[in-house]
Amino acid sequence: LAYIKYCEKHNGEQQWGCSLMLLMTTNGRRLNMSGYDDYGDMLNYSEQSFGYDEPYSWLEQALLSSIKGERSGVAEYSRLARMAPSPEISDVIQGIINDERKHDRMFTENYERLFGREPRVTPEAPSMTSFEEGVMEAIQDEMKDAAKYRDLYLRTRDPRTRTSFFIAMIDELRHGTLFNNILVSLMLQNHEEMGFITVDKGKSQET
């Protein structure tokens, strides 16, 4: 077994970035590796998972937060789908729910693979008091999650986890657009009911 230890000085100060790597056995099989990444977070790899085993590493917390967010989203959007003013809108929201469940499965599988245990999270209960309020909150949440997954994708090194964050980022951007379309349709419907807009043969015009 060959060990390599390296340290780097920055700006002439005694700031060390050191890592200890267990390289390869004679048969070429990687056993494990421990060290610090570029962000100063401790990383531990094992033969079983080749993942992050540090209990309080940033990636573990990021995955737990993501799993909680996706499960909370399923609960919130399930309620929203039941409150939808039309079957068509309910179907759109149900498609979003399916994506959120897909994200939950991806993040859970990555967590179990990297840390060797099931994630323990408690989803948040839905808090919206009206359908329109829930849609507006959903737009904000989806945009925030897209930005979060973008940052995690750029920071994460594990290929499978990176792919999961990328897929989730793209889906959340699309969800934000879908919820925005729902909100616009609600606004048009409200204006029509109040007499600000009349509909004539599929065309809208101000009265």
Side-chain angles (χ1 to χ4, degrees):
L1 301 178
Y3 289 86
I4 296 179
K5 185 175 183 179
Y6 68 88
C7 295
E8 297 176 351
K9 290 184 178 180
H10 300 282
N11 301 323
E13 299 177 356
Q14 295 296 322
Q15 298 178 356
W16 302 92
C18 303
S19 67
L20 184 63
M21 300 176 62
L22 179 60
L23 294 181
M24 309 295 287
T25 60
T26 54
N27 64 359
R29 186 167 59 123
R30 186 185 298 273
L31 294 180
N32 57 52
M33 178 175 70
S34 298
Y36 290 90
D37 72 355
D38 295 336
Y39 297 88
D41 296 313
M42 190 67 180
L43 309 181
N44 293 299
Y45 288 88
S46 66
E47 181 181 2
Q48 289 76 22
S49 65
F50 198 63
Y52 300 83
D53 297 326
E54 180 67 21
Y56 301 105
S57 72
W58 70 268
L59 183 56
E60 179 176 14
Q61 297 306 313
L63 282 171
L64 286 174
S65 174
S66 299
I67 293 168
K68 179 180 178 179
E70 297 298 329
R71 294 180 183 179
S72 299
V74 169
E76 179 181 357
Y77 299 160
S78 294
R79 180 178 177 183
L80 209 56
R82 293 192 295 269
M83 299 169 65
S86 71
E88 292 77 15
I89 292 179
S90 180
D91 288 343
V92 172
I93 298 175
Q94 188 59 54
I96 295 174
I97 293 172
N98 293 338
D99 284 342
E100 301 292 288
R101 287 174 173 157
K102 176 186 67 178
H103 301 163
D104 177 22
R105 289 194 300 271
M106 291 192 304
F107 295 148
T108 298
E109 289 171 359
N110 281 309
Y111 184 91
E112 293 175 346
R113 173 176 59 86
L114 295 173
F115 299 103
R117 55 184 177 273
E118 294 183 0
R120 295 184 178 181
V121 298
T122 302
E124 296 180 0
S127 59
M128 86 282 288
T129 58
S130 68
F131 181 77
E132 185 171 346
E133 177 188 349
V135 172
M136 294 177 67
E137 290 179 355
I139 293 173
Q140 296 178 359
D141 290 343
E142 294 295 327
M143 294 298 98
K144 289 179 181 178
D145 286 345
K148 178 183 73 173
Y149 293 144
R150 174 203 62 200
D151 293 342
L152 291 173
Y153 166 76
L154 293 173
R155 184 176 182 183
T156 304
R157 293 183 175 184
D158 178 69
R160 289 169 63 180
T161 307
R162 277 174 59 88
T163 299
S164 296
F165 285 138
F166 183 81
I167 292 172
M169 176 189 67
I170 298 301
D171 285 345
E172 304 294 23
L173 289 172
R174 182 169 54 83
H175 296 168
T177 299
L178 291 173
F179 277 122
N180 187 70
N181 292 342
I182 291 174
L183 182 61
V184 170
S185 69
L186 290 176
M187 295 173 62
L188 291 175
Q189 182 180 357
N190 291 338
H191 279 72
E192 180 184 348
E193 292 175 352
M194 295 175 65
F196 293 114
I197 295 178
T198 60
V199 178
D200 182 19
K201 295 182 180 180
K203 297 182 179 180
S204 298
Q205 60 184 14
E206 295 184 358
T207 58

